[in-house]
Amino acid sequence: MRTRSFLTVLFWSSVFYVVHMTPSQKRTNKHSHSERITGMSENDGKTLHRTKRGWMWNQFFLLEEYTGPDTQYVGKLHTDQDKGDGNLKYILTGDGAGSLFIIDENTGDIHAAKRLDREEKSLYVLRAKAIDRKTGRQVEPESEFIIKIHDINDNEPKFTKDMYTASVPEMSGVGTSVIQVTATDADDANYGNSAKVVYSILQGQPYFSVDPETGIIKTALPDMSRENREQYQVVIQAKDMGGQMGGLSGTTTVNITLTDVNDNPPRFPQSSYQFSSPESAPPGTPLGRIKANDPDVGENAEIEYSISNGDGSDMFDIITDKDTQEGIITVKKHLDFENKVLYTLRVEATNTHPDPRFLQLGPFKDTALVKISVEDIDEPPVFSRPWYLIEVDEDAKEGSIIGQVVAQDPDIAKNAIKYSVDRHTDLDRIFNIYSGNGSLFLSKPLDREETPWHNITVIATEINNPKQSSQIPVFIRILDINDHAPEFANYYETFVCENAKAGQLIQTVSAIDKDQPPRGHKFFFELVPEFAVHPNFSVVDNKDNTAGIMTRRNGYSRSKTSTYLLPIIIFDNDYPIQSSTGTLTIRVCACDSRGNMQSCSAEALLLPAGLSTGALVAILLCIIILLVLVVLFTALKRQRKKEPLIISKDDVRDNIVTYNDEGGGEEDTQAFDIGTLRNPEAREESKIRRDVLPETIFQIRRTAPLWENIDVQDFIHRRLKENDLDPAAPPYDSLATYAYEGNDSIANSLSSLESLTTEGNQDYDYLSDWGPRFKKLADMYGGEDSDRD
């Protein structure tokens, strides 16, 4: 076993050596002798022997894409055991055996049955056997060999993309890298130059060039301008065989775009512009647009406009439209044709993103002259002030002038102006104005205490053009005049204790004045001259607009004098001095030892001098209310004495109607008509109720005759309905009876009333035919024998 393994290793080594021989080498191994190899085994040290194989073959290389008329000869298998007598049979197995490679089993010749492509498979591993036809045994161990396909230049270079897109900034220097293209060749790069690719440019010169080995495209001209040409199409060729004649080639297209750089300054298409504006244009009104052209694009073409100088830089402004890159000239302040007619501006356009690399080309800005003329329009009158404040004394006389407003036409024509007062702001027509000169005067007297301020509007209108008018507010302040006298601030209920001591303060009074003097109020208090030396009380001015009432003696008696009247004069200090007299009512009351009031004289409370107007009104209202209550009480009492609604003994509320007339018997038909009870039609003629006073006569409703009804119940229901709907029905529950016997029955009337008067006997035998209900009557009147009895 160990020997066999060793021989196998040697055999494969020999095969590997033989397979890699050159195609032109022919080798024939004929070994009839054995080569002795001496070696010691690790067990017994026996000598080992190796016998060389006798395989022989001639060719092991094959060209791809063979196009000859016959099959391509690959090689020949041969063994030393083959004597040429046809006893051996050669068998080929492995890659493509039987399909791509065919062997002659007698001679061992191998042929390629099809065209081979190295790019599909470059190496085939096959195994060969030699078998004795008679015994079927292998005469040689199976041997493995390799057939290698030699490459030919049958594939052209191919680019990784059919089309490339690239860009490079304009104005780039020569040799600026743009893009690298790559082509690959499927041929064997280790065999000849079939896969050696060289790049060249077919289209795009002289602008671009390509590196023949790397495929990098570069700029070939300096300062290429995007504004002159933006797009370029370059065709690149890749050729194998190192670019030599006969090599295969492939091409690709490269679209190159020059990207923009800020290499162009803005330029105005004209040096001056002319615009006009009406003088009434409000601030912010656009007057026109100007634009500087910049051939660059994107942010390189962004422009900022400004006013560098000019006499209209304070009156106008310019803003930049970011969407259109235009400069919009607008009004900055109100214009006045009469003041200035023409303005001149110097407008500057500047790139916002200059490129420092191109600053040497010049300043990236431009200027233009803009002239703006102001147009005259008919303007409304203009007042000399934005508002007027007029002060007038409240005692100013009617017709007196209190102030003046002035307006004029700002136009050159200087049209005449007329003035008027907006009556919506002076509904009481207190003020008026002279239309010619704007002097305001009074039409009615003023009262500061009622309205201290008046806000009116004066309108100025051009006489020649009434549509041109303007308004101005006039604030009129009414100045106070001391025309109101001071008076007590409150109604004082003052009392003095009977046990009061001299010099005791019993009340502090103060005053108010409707006037508003500029230095504030100052009041003085004193007794009237007649009471300058009052034996009971005195007034002490506190010099702070209040005064104290002091007692001048010890003890006061209610029994002698229950009330004292103390007149006090109140002065103010304004000009002219105003004064008034107020009377203070002092009641004498009983007090405890601490001076707390216990009770006062009742008569003192009823004195007219001590009652205010409000108290008198309240007392009068109470008296009126008492009188009204007395009148109502009397009226209700009289109403209770009225007679009852029904005083007759025939009051039907008991629902029983009695008839106390027996009449004169059957022969007396005039005393009482009993048919009224039986004939409803007679009762329909008069339905005035006896239980209701006939204060209001209601129209009697006519109803359908009921004597045709054969149902008494229906008759009663209809009568009840009539009573329910009768507006003259009494307001209490009542029982109505109806003496209605119904229509005549088949037995006629059983009453003797209105029956025929005959002396003869009547026949009552028919009663027996009426059934059990009339059996009693039949027994009573039926038999003649019983009548005789």
Side-chain angles (χ1 to χ4, degrees):
M1 254 334 256
R2 186 175 302 154
T3 302
R4 184 174 297 177
S5 299
F6 179 71
L7 291 176
T8 302
V9 172
L10 292 178
F11 169 74
W12 284 114
S13 300
S14 175
V15 171
F16 179 77
Y17 174 84
V18 174
V19 167
H20 287 82
M21 293 174 64
T22 59
S24 60
Q25 180 181 2
K26 293 184 179 180
R27 178 178 179 180
T28 302
N29 293 328
K30 295 181 179 180
H31 300 284
S32 57
H33 61 279
S34 297
E35 184 180 49
R36 180 180 299 270
I37 299 177
T38 303
M40 298 299 293
S41 67
E42 59 183 16
N43 295 328
D44 51 8
K46 292 181 179 181
T47 302
L48 299 177
H49 296 274
R50 183 185 67 181
T51 303
K52 294 185 178 179
R53 291 189 176 89
W55 278 110
M56 300 175 61
W57 47 77
N58 296 326
Q59 188 174 355
F60 302 99
F61 295 92
L62 186 66
L63 292 176
E64 66 171 339
E65 304 292 346
Y66 175 75
T67 57
D70 300 327
T71 58
Q72 187 177 6
Y73 181 75
V74 178
K76 182 180 180 65
L77 297 179
H78 185 71
T79 179
D80 294 342
Q81 302 295 328
D82 189 358
K83 304 300 182 180
D85 53 4
N87 291 330
L88 296 181
K89 178 181 179 181
Y90 294 95
I91 298 176
L92 185 65
T93 60
D95 295 340
S99 58
L100 294 179
F101 301 101
I102 301 174
I103 189 171
D104 188 338
E105 62 183 15
N106 295 320
T107 63
D109 293 328
I110 302 173
H111 291 81
K114 296 181 180 179
R115 295 173 56 184
L116 302 178
D117 189 355
R118 189 200 67 83
E119 285 71 35
E120 292 182 1
K121 192 174 180 65
S122 61
L123 192 69
Y124 294 87
V125 179
L126 299 173
R127 291 177 295 278
K129 294 187 296 183
I131 301 175
D132 190 338
R133 291 179 182 271
K134 294 179 181 181
T135 63
R137 297 177 59 185
Q138 294 185 12
V139 297
E140 289 285 353
E142 186 179 63
S143 176
E144 182 180 278
F145 61 94
I146 298 174
I147 300 177
K148 187 176 182 181
I149 308 300
H150 274 309
D151 182 45
I152 64 172
N153 189 19
D154 59 342
N155 293 281
E156 72 277 2
K158 292 183 179 180
F159 286 92
T160 56
K161 294 181 180 179
D162 294 334
M163 181 176 293
Y164 291 84
T165 301
S167 63
V168 63
E170 63 172 334
M171 307 299 291
S172 297
V174 176
T176 301
S177 177
V178 179
I179 192 175
Q180 182 178 16
V181 295
T182 303
T184 58
D185 196 320
D187 293 327
D188 190 359
N190 298 321
Y191 183 77
N193 295 326
S194 299
K196 186 177 181 180
V197 178
V198 175
Y199 300 94
S200 63
I201 184 167
L202 300 181
Q203 177 183 327
Q205 295 175 332
Y207 307 103
F208 299 94
S209 62
V210 63
D211 189 297
E213 295 183 0
T214 62
I216 297 176
I217 301 175
K218 301 178 181 179
T219 58
L221 285 180
D223 301 333
M224 286 190 293
S225 176
R226 184 200 63 83
E227 289 74 28
N228 295 332
R229 183 177 177 181
E230 185 176 3
Q231 298 288 339
Y232 294 87
Q233 191 174 71
V234 178
V235 177
I236 302 297
Q237 175 184 267
K239 191 174 183 180
D240 59 11
M241 299 297 293
Q244 299 177 3
M245 294 290 293
L248 301 179
S249 64
T251 60
T252 186
T253 301
V254 182
N255 293 321
I256 301 176
T257 302
L258 295 184
T259 58
D260 185 60
V261 297
N262 194 2
D263 59 338
N264 294 282
R267 290 288 182 263
F268 284 104
Q270 57 193 69
S271 60
S272 63
Y273 296 85
Q274 184 73 35
F275 297 100
S276 62
S277 172
E279 62 175 335
S280 61
T285 303
L287 303 181
R289 293 171 175 254
I290 60 175
K291 183 177 182 180
N293 298 324
D294 191 335
D296 296 325
V297 294
E299 68 174 13
N300 297 321
E302 291 182 1
I303 302 174
E304 186 70 28
Y305 296 90
S306 62
I307 298 176
S308 59
N309 53 42
D311 56 2
S313 58
D314 294 336
M315 305 300 296
F316 302 93
D317 197 3
I318 187 169
I319 58 177
T320 304
D321 188 337
K322 297 299 183 181
D323 297 329
T324 62
Q325 297 301 316
E326 294 178 318
I328 305 173
I329 299 176
T330 61
V331 177
K332 188 176 181 180
K333 294 182 180 180
H334 288 285
L335 304 176
D336 189 359
F337 175 83
E338 289 73 25
N339 186 25
K340 192 173 181 61
V341 178
L342 182 64
Y343 292 91
T344 303
L345 304 175
R346 178 66 65 178
V347 176
E348 185 178 88
T350 307
N351 273 140
T352 57
H353 302 282
D355 194 332
R357 296 176 298 172
F358 306 103
L359 292 179
Q360 71 277 3
L361 300 178
F364 278 75
K365 61 182 178 180
D366 195 16
T367 60
L369 187 65
V370 178
K371 296 181 180 180
I372 302 175
S373 59
V374 181
E375 299 176 351
D376 186 28
I377 63 170
D378 191 5
E379 298 177 276
V382 177
F383 285 92
S384 61
R385 302 179 187 176
W387 48 271
Y388 288 86
L389 174 62
I390 298 176
E391 294 181 345
V392 58
D393 294 333
E394 65 175 325
D395 61 346
K397 304 300 181 181
E398 297 182 18
S400 59
I401 296 176
I402 62 173
Q404 184 181 19
V405 296
V406 178
Q408 63 178 358
D409 184 9
D411 300 322
I412 298 178
K414 301 297 181 183
N415 294 323
I417 305 296
K418 67 175 182 179
Y419 303 90
S420 61
V421 176
D422 186 357
R423 291 304 172 188
H424 294 91
T425 61
D426 185 26
L427 298 177
D428 295 333
R429 295 181 175 269
I430 299 175
F431 304 95
N432 212 332
I433 192 171
Y434 290 109
S435 61
N437 58 9
S439 297
L440 288 165
F441 62 91
L442 293 177
S443 298
K444 293 182 180 180
L446 302 175
D447 187 358
R448 189 204 65 82
E449 286 71 30
E450 181 179 353
T451 307
W453 282 89
H454 294 272
N455 302 327
I456 65 174
T457 300
V458 175
I459 303 173
T461 307
E462 291 185 9
I463 296 177
N464 296 336
N465 187 5
K467 293 183 178 179
Q468 296 297 333
S469 63
S470 57
Q471 300 178 351
I472 196 72
V474 179
F475 307 106
I476 301 175
R477 179 183 179 185
I478 310 302
L479 299 179
D480 185 41
I481 297 298
N482 192 23
D483 56 349
H484 292 84
E487 59 186 12
F488 282 130
N490 299 299
Y491 172 74
Y492 297 100
E493 294 183 356
T494 307
F495 70 93
V496 61
C497 295
E498 290 182 310
N499 56 357
K501 303 297 182 181
Q504 182 177 342
L505 177 66
I506 62 173
Q507 183 69 56
T508 300
V509 295
S510 61
I512 58 173
D513 194 340
K514 295 181 180 179
D515 297 320
Q516 292 292 334
R519 294 187 299 250
H521 291 292
K522 182 63 176 177
F523 302 122
F524 304 96
F525 303 87
E526 63 181 31
L527 292 173
V528 298
E530 294 81 3
F531 295 86
V533 182
H534 199 281
N536 297 306
F537 304 98
S538 63
V539 176
V540 178
D541 195 337
N542 297 326
K543 307 301 182 181
D544 59 354
N545 295 336
T546 63
I549 310 301
M550 310 293 292
T551 58
R552 296 191 61 184
R553 63 186 180 88
N554 297 325
Y556 295 86
S557 176
R558 281 188 297 168
S559 59
K560 293 181 179 180
T561 305
S562 60
T563 303
Y564 293 92
L565 299 179
L566 185 63
I568 301 175
I569 301 176
I570 308 172
F571 300 90
D572 59 20
N573 67 338
D574 206 354
Y575 180 83
I577 296 176
Q578 300 287 342
S579 64
S580 66
T581 302
T583 301
L584 190 64
T585 302
I586 304 174
R587 294 180 297 163
V588 180
C589 301
C591 302
D592 57 12
S593 59
R594 296 181 180 180
N596 297 322
M597 183 180 64
Q598 298 292 329
S599 63
C600 297
S601 176
E603 291 79 2
L605 297 175
L606 299 177
L607 288 177
L611 294 180
S612 64
T613 304
L616 293 176
V617 172
I619 294 174
L620 183 60
L621 288 177
C622 292
I623 294 174
I624 293 174
I625 293 173
L626 290 175
L627 291 176
V628 172
L629 293 176
V630 171
V631 171
L632 291 177
F633 180 75
T634 304
L636 291 175
K637 194 171 183 181
R638 288 182 179 179
Q639 188 175 2
R640 291 179 182 176
K641 293 182 179 180
K642 286 186 178 181
E643 293 184 359
L645 182 64
I646 299 176
I647 60 176
S648 173
K649 65 180 180 178
D650 296 331
D651 189 354
V652 297
R653 280 179 292 178
D654 55 0
N655 302 308
I656 299 176
V657 180
T658 59
Y659 302 93
N660 295 325
D661 188 357
E662 297 181 357
E666 294 183 359
E667 295 181 357
D668 187 0
T669 59
Q670 303 297 327
F672 184 78
D673 189 4
I674 197 65
T676 303
L677 299 176
R678 302 184 63 245
N679 189 0
E681 185 178 6
R683 297 179 60 86
E684 292 289 337
E685 296 178 356
S686 178
K687 290 182 58 179
I688 300 177
R689 301 181 63 92
R690 295 176 58 197
D691 56 343
V692 178
L693 294 178
E695 295 181 0
T696 303
I697 304 300
F698 295 92
Q699 184 177 359
I700 298 186
R701 296 176 298 163
R702 300 295 299 174
T703 58
L706 301 177
W707 63 85
E708 297 179 358
N709 296 341
I710 60 175
D711 189 1
V712 176
Q713 184 178 3
D714 181 62
F715 166 76
I716 293 174
H717 287 168
R718 297 188 64 174
R719 288 302 188 189
L720 288 175
K721 185 175 181 181
E722 289 180 6
N723 278 271
D724 292 339
L725 300 177
D726 189 0
Y732 45 78
D733 295 336
S734 62
L735 177 64
T737 59
Y738 305 98
Y740 175 57
E741 298 179 359
N743 292 334
D744 51 351
S745 63
I746 58 176
N748 293 325
S749 176
L750 300 181
S751 174
S752 62
L753 299 178
E754 295 185 355
S755 62
L756 296 177
T757 304
T758 57
E759 294 181 357
N761 294 327
Q762 297 186 15
D763 186 6
Y764 295 102
D765 294 336
Y766 59 87
L767 294 175
S768 301
D769 300 331
W770 288 1
R773 293 185 179 181
F774 296 92
K775 184 177 183 302
K776 185 67 174 178
L777 293 176
D779 294 341
M780 293 175 63
Y781 296 98
E784 294 181 357
D785 294 339
S786 61
D787 291 338
R788 289 192 184 100
D789 294 339

